[in-house]
Amino acid sequence: RSWRLQMTELENAAASGFHSETWSLPGGQTYRVTGRPHPNGAVAFLFEDITAEISLTRRFRAELEMSHEVMDHLPDAVAIFQASGEFMFSNKAYNALWGVAPDETLGQITFGDAATLWGAQSQISPLWDKARKLMQIGSGQKTLCDTVLLQDGRALCCNFSVLHGGAVMARFSLPETIQATPEMIAIAAG
């Protein structure tokens, strides 16, 4: 009875214009049902099996979620920037290290903005200008590694890598073995 009522509603919606629904069947198949009005009050229905498309989308989404989860479990702070310089992704360690809220900054921060943030929270270093140059298309350089001192004196290992398509991965780690000595602080300050 409920199926007949649903079909009647589908027919009425299709008769007044283009109508489309997705049906998920108990056996795991998924159909897209499209209804379109035809002359003399007729309605044509198209039933498409979109099971493979839906399965592929679900698999892709699951892989993406797994990748994000893996990145969040890394001890290093990681951020990815598109070739255009637009912020694309960061893990929890990056958000904690730099005080970034990814939901508020996604698509709004550029690599240049991030480099300014990094520079403000560390002692003066030429690394940030070098990193900006790395981000420029055609720079030819593929990686950049250096250590800087944060404002609190902790040493921070910084790695920048150009990825496929011109995207850049910024990776930061606070190694337990590197301790900022008074000499390092004096050199960085001076």
Side-chain angles (χ1 to χ4, degrees):
R1 180 187 288 262
S2 66
W3 186 81
R4 281 189 297 209
L5 182 60
Q6 184 180 6
M7 287 302 295
T8 302
E9 290 172 3
L10 180 63
E11 182 180 351
N12 292 337
S16 61
F18 176 81
H19 182 75
S20 181
E21 285 186 5
T22 303
W23 292 356
S24 297
L25 303 180
Q29 289 182 299
T30 306
Y31 285 91
R32 179 182 303 128
V33 181
T34 308
R36 294 185 181 166
H38 275 258
N40 299 326
V43 177
F45 288 101
L46 172 65
F47 294 82
E48 296 175 87
D49 184 354
I50 58 170
T51 306
E53 178 184 330
I54 295 296
S55 295
L56 183 63
T57 301
R58 287 179 184 152
R59 203 169 31 250
F60 175 74
R61 194 171 293 141
E63 288 176 12
L64 194 58
E65 288 173 5
M66 177 68 76
S67 297
H68 284 201
E69 189 174 343
V70 167
M71 294 292 283
D72 281 340
H73 280 81
L74 292 176
D76 290 353
V78 178
I80 309 293
F81 296 85
Q82 295 178 11
S84 64
E86 191 175 300
F87 174 76
M88 191 170 142
F89 170 80
S90 63
N91 67 355
K92 288 180 181 178
Y94 178 89
N95 303 339
L97 176 65
W98 298 111
V100 175
D103 294 338
E104 297 170 10
T105 57
L106 186 63
Q108 297 178 5
I109 288 187
T110 65
F111 188 88
D113 297 333
T116 301
L117 170 75
W118 305 329
Q121 294 187 31
S122 65
Q123 296 181 15
I124 296 172
S125 172
L127 175 64
W128 310 125
D129 287 330
K130 291 177 184 176
R132 283 184 185 94
K133 289 179 184 171
L134 177 76
M135 188 72 214
Q136 295 172 353
I137 295 174
S139 69
Q141 191 173 356
K142 296 291 181 191
T143 60
L144 176 64
C145 299
D146 205 348
T147 301
V148 298
L149 296 177
L150 295 174
Q151 293 294 357
D152 62 8
R154 293 180 295 165
L156 180 69
C157 292
C158 307
N159 295 285
F160 299 92
S161 302
V162 177
L163 305 175
H164 179 74
V168 171
M169 178 177 66
R171 188 168 50 94
F172 306 94
S173 57
L174 292 163
E176 303 299 323
T177 57
I178 297 178
Q179 298 295 323
T181 64
E183 294 83 18
M184 289 174 70
I185 294 171
I187 291 170

